[in-house]
Amino acid sequence: MKQVSTAQRADAEFRRAAGLTQQGRIADAITGYEAALRLDAGHDAARQALVDLLLEGKSNADAEKVLL
């Protein structure tokens, strides 16, 4: 059985969240991007996508927290 790294799991969460974003399931996508960042705090694409969704939803304070 192949071992999956934390970074690979974070990438999988990111891809899943990106698909949810395309489907318009924004709340689920936000949860997915947050999960990717919990797995890998340095996942820049997940962080950027999460910030973008939060800003689109006018959650500026939450977006700022993600950037800190």
Side-chain angles (χ1 to χ4, degrees):
M1 181 178 229
K2 185 177 178 182
Q3 200 69 333
V4 178
S5 73
T6 303
Q8 289 171 318
R9 290 185 8 233
D11 282 338
E13 279 294 329
F14 169 76
R15 288 190 305 276
R16 187 181 70 78
L20 292 168
T21 301
Q22 290 179 343
Q23 295 172 17
R25 296 174 55 192
I26 303 306
D28 292 331
I30 288 172
T31 300
Y33 291 130
E34 290 171 337
L37 289 171
R38 278 193 302 277
L39 289 165
D40 180 3
H43 199 294
D44 292 334
R47 185 172 311 281
Q48 184 61 53
L50 177 56
V51 167
D52 288 347
L53 288 181
L54 291 171
L55 289 175
E56 286 175 17
K58 307 292 188 229
S59 297
N60 296 352
D62 290 334
E64 185 176 344
K65 289 176 190 173
V66 172
L67 291 172
L68 296 179

